[in-house]
Amino acid sequence: DAAAWLPDGKSFVIVDPDLFMEEVHPYSFKKCKYESFIRKLNQWGFVRMTCGRGVDCFSHELFQRDRIDLVLEMRCYDWRVRRR
């Protein structure tokens, strides 16, 4: 698998970045490099967690397994716009 939910259902792991970019990314996101995708996750408020060497794990309070209703509350923040 390219990505998977962690047991808590409140975070996910990208197990194989190359496979993720090849099989999942093109069908769900605009074309970009893996590093750009990670930056986009940050803009959406995802937090990168430590899951082990070479594995990227991410968490967001509104991105949970089987909770589509929460996703509707998510917002993307543009880092270029200065917050007052």
Side-chain angles (χ1 to χ4, degrees), residues 7 9 14 21 23 33-34 55 61-62 70-71 77-78:
I14 298 177
M21 293 305 289
E23 293 187 357
K33 295 181 180 178
Y34 183 71
V55 177
E61 64 182 9
L62 298 174
L70 294 178
V71 172
Y77 299 98
D78 190 343

Side-chain angles (χ1 to χ4, degrees), residues 34-78:
Y34 183 71
E35 293 79 15
S36 297
F37 173 73
I38 299 303
R39 280 194 298 276
K40 192 68 170 173
L41 286 178
N42 291 332
Q43 283 183 282
W44 279 91
F46 282 86
V47 176
R48 189 181 222 159
M49 305 179 323
T50 304
C51 286
R53 242 171 61 151
V55 177
D56 291 321
C57 299
F58 298 92
S59 177
H60 190 294
E61 64 182 9
L62 298 174
F63 191 76
Q64 299 178 19
R65 181 177 45 220
D66 301 325
R67 292 295 310 270
I68 301 296
D69 59 307
L70 294 178
V71 172
L72 300 174
E73 304 291 325
M74 293 176 70
R75 300 288 177 259
C76 183
Y77 299 98
D78 190 343

Side-chain angles (χ1 to χ4, degrees), residues 14-33:
I14 298 177
V15 180
D16 185 335
D18 293 330
L19 187 61
F20 179 83
M21 293 305 289
E22 181 181 317
E23 293 187 357
V24 177
H25 188 273
Y27 301 102
S28 304
F29 308 98
K30 290 182 181 179
K31 187 174 181 178
C32 70
K33 295 181 180 178

